[in-house]
Amino acid sequence: MMNYTRSTPSTERRVVVTGIGLVCPTGNTTRESWKNILEGVSGIDRITQFDASTYDCQIAGEVKNFQTENYIEKKEVKKMDRFIQLTMVAGQDALKDSGFEINDLNRKKVGCFIGVGIGGLPAIEAQHSNLLEKGHGRVSPFYIPMVIANMAAGYLSMRVGAQGPSYCITSACSSGAHAIGEAVRYVRSGFADMMIAGGAESAVVPTAIAGFENMKALSTRNDEPKKASRPFDQDRDGFVLSEGSAVLILESYEAAVKRGARIYAEITGYGLSSDAYHITSPAPEHRGAQDSMRAALTDARLNPEDIQYVNAHGTSTPVGDGLETLAIKHVFKDHAKKIMVSSTKSMTGHLLGAAGALESAFCALAVHDQVAPPTINLENPSPDCDLDYVPKTARNTKINHVINNSFGFGGTNASVVFSKVT
C-alpha cells in the first residue's frame, strides 16, 4: 500500500471546490448535465461522428450540439482537436462559475492541470489520411499542437491567463482524478493559490472503437443504446466509449470564504496506488483499488464508517464491477452494506481520461445538494455485485463524505474524498 505523508494540519491549507464546468453526453452545461444525471437520463446513443454500421459496436456517449463560438475565436478552432475544444468550454465555464477573476496580481499563483488519457486521435486519423492520400505536404502545420495531450492545459492557461504550474497528467482512465488530486496537493501546500483541474477526452473515432472492440471491452447492445451501460447488472457486456470534459476550480478554504465564494465541497483526501499486475486486468481482489481507497481515507483522516457514498469506477465490464465491489467490501467491511455505491457511467458512459474529473464533479455536487445519483439499467443485479447501488432513482439523504474511484489500464488507481464543509 502506498502512503504519502501530509504536513501537519497547522501548516497546510484546506482545499475547496468553488467552480464546476461540464461538457459531457448528459449535457453541455453543469446544470443540464447534473439535472439529467439525477433524473436517470442516459446520454448514450448511436454513433454519429462516423459511419459505424460495419462495427460490432455502433454506440457511444457523444457530446451533442457542441458549440464553441462563445468560447474560442473561429480562426483558432481549426487548430485545436476536439478534446482541446471541450476543455476550453468546460474550463471557462468553471472559472465563470467560481466568480474568480485572474489578473496581474494573482496570475502567477494560478495553475492548470488537465488529465488526458489519449489525446488527439481524431486529428491523428485525419492527418494520417492526408499524408497517405495527398502527400506529406498536406499535413497541417498545426498537426502536432493539435494532438499532444498537454495542449488542453496549454490552451486553457493561455486563454484565461494562468501563469502558475501547468501540465498534463496521463494515467489512462484515472487521468482526470489524478489531475484533481495532484492539484489539491499544490493548493494545500501553498505552491499555488488556485488550480484549474480536470480532464478531457474525445476518442469516438474508428481506430479507438476498433481497438477497444477487438479487446472485447465494449458493449454491443446496439439496438438499445440507452440500456447499454449497465454497471453491476448481470447482463452487462462491456463499457460504452464516451467523450467530454470536466473542470473544477480549487482554492483554499480561507481564500474562498474571504471573497464570499460559493463552496460546493471540500476535498479532504487523495489516495493513489499501482496494481503492478497486468496491462488491462485489475489485480486479484482489486488490491490496488483497496490501497487507493485506504490511502484516501488516511489522507482525509477519516474512518471507513465516516463515508456515506462511493461514486464507483463501475464501467459495466463483466470483470471490473465485481472486483470493485469486492475491494469496497475489503476496505469498508461491515459498513460496506450501509454505503450507497453508484456508477454515473450508467448514464454518461466511460469518458476515459475525463471520467475521473467528471465523476469528481458529480461527487462535489452530491455533497453540495445532499443527494446520491442513481445507477440506471440495474435490472438484474449480478450475484457478485450485492451492495446498495442506488438503483434507478436518485436518493436525497445526508452526505458528509464521499469517495470517487478511478482506475486505469496499466494498473493505475486514484481515489478522491469530497466532504461537506464544516
Side-chain angles (χ1 to χ4, degrees):
M1 173 179 173
M2 178 178 178
N3 286 306
Y4 63 87
T5 303
R6 282 176 55 173
S7 54
T8 63
S10 61
T11 60
E12 67 183 23
R13 302 193 291 189
R14 298 169 65 184
V15 182
V16 295
V17 180
T18 57
I20 299 174
L22 305 181
V23 184
C24 70
T26 56
N28 292 358
T29 66
T30 301
R31 182 176 181 179
E32 179 187 16
S33 179
W34 183 232
K35 178 177 181 290
N36 282 332
I37 289 293
L38 295 183
E39 293 178 353
V41 177
S42 171
I44 311 303
D45 217 323
R46 295 185 73 86
I47 292 172
T48 64
Q49 295 183 29
F50 69 95
D51 180 5
S53 59
T54 61
Y55 289 69
D56 292 340
C57 172
Q58 302 169 10
I59 56 177
E62 297 177 327
V63 172
K64 293 91 173 171
N65 303 313
F66 179 54
Q67 304 292 328
T68 61
E69 58 263 30
N70 293 327
Y71 300 85
I72 314 168
E73 290 79 6
K74 192 173 182 179
K75 65 179 181 180
E76 296 294 317
V77 172
K78 64 181 181 181
K79 302 176 184 176
M80 303 174 183
D81 202 14
R82 190 172 167 91
F83 78 102
I84 301 172
Q85 297 174 20
L86 293 165
T87 306
M88 296 291 279
V89 174
Q92 290 177 74
D93 276 354
L95 195 59
K96 182 179 180 181
D97 186 48
S98 76
F100 185 84
E101 293 187 4
I102 299 175
N103 55 43
D104 289 342
L105 296 177
N106 59 37
R107 66 177 74 254
K108 292 187 183 301
K109 295 288 282 185
V110 179
C112 186
F113 290 173
I114 302 297
V116 178
I118 298 177
L121 267 185
I124 291 173
E125 287 192 355
Q127 296 304 316
H128 188 244
S129 293
N130 280 348
L131 174 70
L132 296 181
E133 297 168 6
K134 302 175 182 177
H136 62 84
R138 299 298 298 273
V139 172
S140 169
F142 301 108
Y143 172 48
I144 301 303
M146 285 171 71
V147 304
I148 53 178
N150 72 294
M151 289 308 290
Y155 267 113
L156 183 58
S157 64
M158 285 186 276
R159 178 69 176 186
V160 303
Q163 295 180 344
S166 170
Y167 59 83
C168 171
I169 291 175
T170 296
S171 54
C173 301
S174 54
S175 300
H178 275 133
I180 290 170
E182 294 303 315
V184 167
R185 297 172 71 172
Y186 274 57
V187 176
R188 187 185 271 174
S189 66
F191 203 71
D193 286 341
M194 173 180 283
M195 291 298 297
I196 305 167
E201 202 77 86
S202 179
V204 184
V205 294
T207 55
I209 293 291
F212 284 120
E213 181 178 280
N214 292 338
M215 291 172 63
K216 307 299 182 186
L218 296 179
S219 171
T220 57
R221 194 182 289 261
N222 299 321
D223 295 335
E224 295 181 301
K226 297 190 182 304
K227 293 186 176 182
S229 184
R230 42 196 319 114
F232 314 116
D233 190 87
Q234 188 167 2
D235 298 323
R236 65 191 186 276
D237 67 336
F239 73 83
V240 177
L241 184 64
S242 297
E243 64 173 358
S245 178
V247 177
L248 309 184
I249 303 300
L250 310 179
E251 59 184 305
S252 73
Y253 169 76
E254 291 77 10
V257 170
K258 185 176 180 180
R259 68 183 185 87
R262 173 189 48 207
I263 298 175
Y264 288 102
E266 180 176 0
I267 301 183
T268 53
Y270 170 46
L272 54 166
S273 70
S274 298
D275 285 359
Y277 174 71
H278 190 270
I279 57 172
T280 57
S281 297
E285 299 185 336
H286 224 326
R287 61 173 183 262
Q290 294 182 45
D291 290 347
S292 180
M293 285 188 279
R294 289 194 182 101
L297 288 170
T298 299
D299 187 50
R301 301 185 176 92
L302 294 174
N303 297 312
E305 295 76 17
D306 295 322
I307 300 294
Q308 286 85 40
Y309 168 63
V310 175
N311 190 301
H313 187 59
T315 57
S316 183
T317 58
V319 174
D321 294 355
L323 288 178
E324 184 173 6
T325 296
L326 192 58
I328 291 170
K329 289 180 179 178
H330 276 290
V331 172
F332 293 96
K333 302 189 184 305
D334 292 343
H335 186 61
K337 292 284 186 179
K338 302 176 182 177
I339 295 175
M340 296 171 287
V341 180
S342 72
S343 172
T344 43
K345 287 187 180 75
S346 59
M347 293 161 279
T348 65
H350 191 355
L351 279 72
L352 306 181
L358 180 63
E359 288 145 21
S360 289
F362 291 153
C363 284
L365 290 165
V367 169
H368 183 262
D369 293 351
Q370 296 286 282
V371 56
T375 304
I376 69 167
N377 300 323
L378 185 54
E379 297 166 347
N380 301 298
S382 177
D384 59 341
C385 299
D386 56 353
L387 299 177
D388 175 7
Y389 301 107
V390 197
K392 301 179 181 178
T393 306
R395 191 176 302 165
N396 293 306
T397 184
K398 181 179 179 181
I399 299 178
N400 292 325
H401 307 283
V402 309
I403 283 186
N404 177 40
N405 282 336
S406 293
F407 313 129
F409 283 177
T412 175
N413 309 297
S415 298
V416 184
V417 178
F418 293 80
S419 300
K420 184 179 179 181
V421 173
T422 57

